[in-house]
Amino acid sequence: MFEIKKASEAEIAERNDLAGKVAEALAMAGFTVHQDVNQTSAALGVLVWVDSADDSRGGVFVRWLIDPSLSRDAAESLQKGEMQSSAFRHFSFVTEHMYATLIAILESASFQVGDADDDMSPFLIRVEG
């Protein structure tokens, strides 16, 4: 079976420290911040978490959490091919603008950030020191 190798305990501790600083900076900017990636089904605001993998998937990540009803409505529109529906347009607008806003705020707080290059989550932000 495939096993994911974890980063060293020292590396994970550094990532956790960075994630805490990122969460603090975003909270100071007025965002509701969540840090438990396993408890996001009804959470709204910003998710900051650490992936402990010892490869390119590992690191500190930030994502905007949209209300599940809007996500569902947008997904249904997409499945129906209704790319111009108000739900899909609104979902896209919010997602794109919050992605840019979070990057700008984190850069303003002196973090090095960029796109995580994750095909499954195109608006995922990777944070470096």
Side-chain angles (χ1 to χ4, degrees):
M1 179 149 185
F2 181 72
E3 185 175 324
I4 297 174
K5 185 177 176 187
K6 286 189 171 186
S8 70
E9 287 192 30
E11 176 65 23
I12 292 171
E14 286 180 29
R15 291 177 189 176
N16 284 328
D17 183 57
L18 177 59
K21 291 175 182 173
V22 167
E24 181 180 2
L26 292 170
M28 288 175 63
F31 291 100
T32 299
V33 180
H34 306 277
Q35 290 189 266
D36 188 345
V37 73
N38 297 311
Q39 298 292 323
T40 62
S41 62
L44 300 174
V46 180
L47 175 64
V48 177
W49 81 97
V50 171
D51 186 321
S52 61
D54 188 31
D55 59 18
S56 62
R57 292 174 299 192
V60 176
F61 298 94
V62 175
R63 180 168 60 99
W64 182 248
L65 300 172
I66 292 178
D67 187 279
S69 65
L70 179 56
S71 297
R72 272 192 308 276
D73 290 349
E76 287 174 9
S77 293
L78 185 61
Q79 289 173 344
K80 294 176 184 175
E82 299 171 350
M83 304 279 278
Q84 295 303 316
S85 73
S86 61
F88 188 78
R89 283 194 332 265
H90 184 56
F91 173 87
S92 298
F93 181 90
V94 171
T95 302
E96 291 172 16
H97 283 82
M98 291 311 299
Y99 171 81
T101 298
L102 289 169
I103 286 177
I105 289 170
L106 290 169
E107 287 176 341
S108 175
S110 299
F111 293 102
Q112 295 176 355
V113 297
D115 188 82
D117 292 324
D118 183 335
D119 292 338
M120 298 303 290
S121 187
F123 295 100
L124 183 62
I125 299 165
R126 177 184 295 273
V127 182
E128 306 288 336

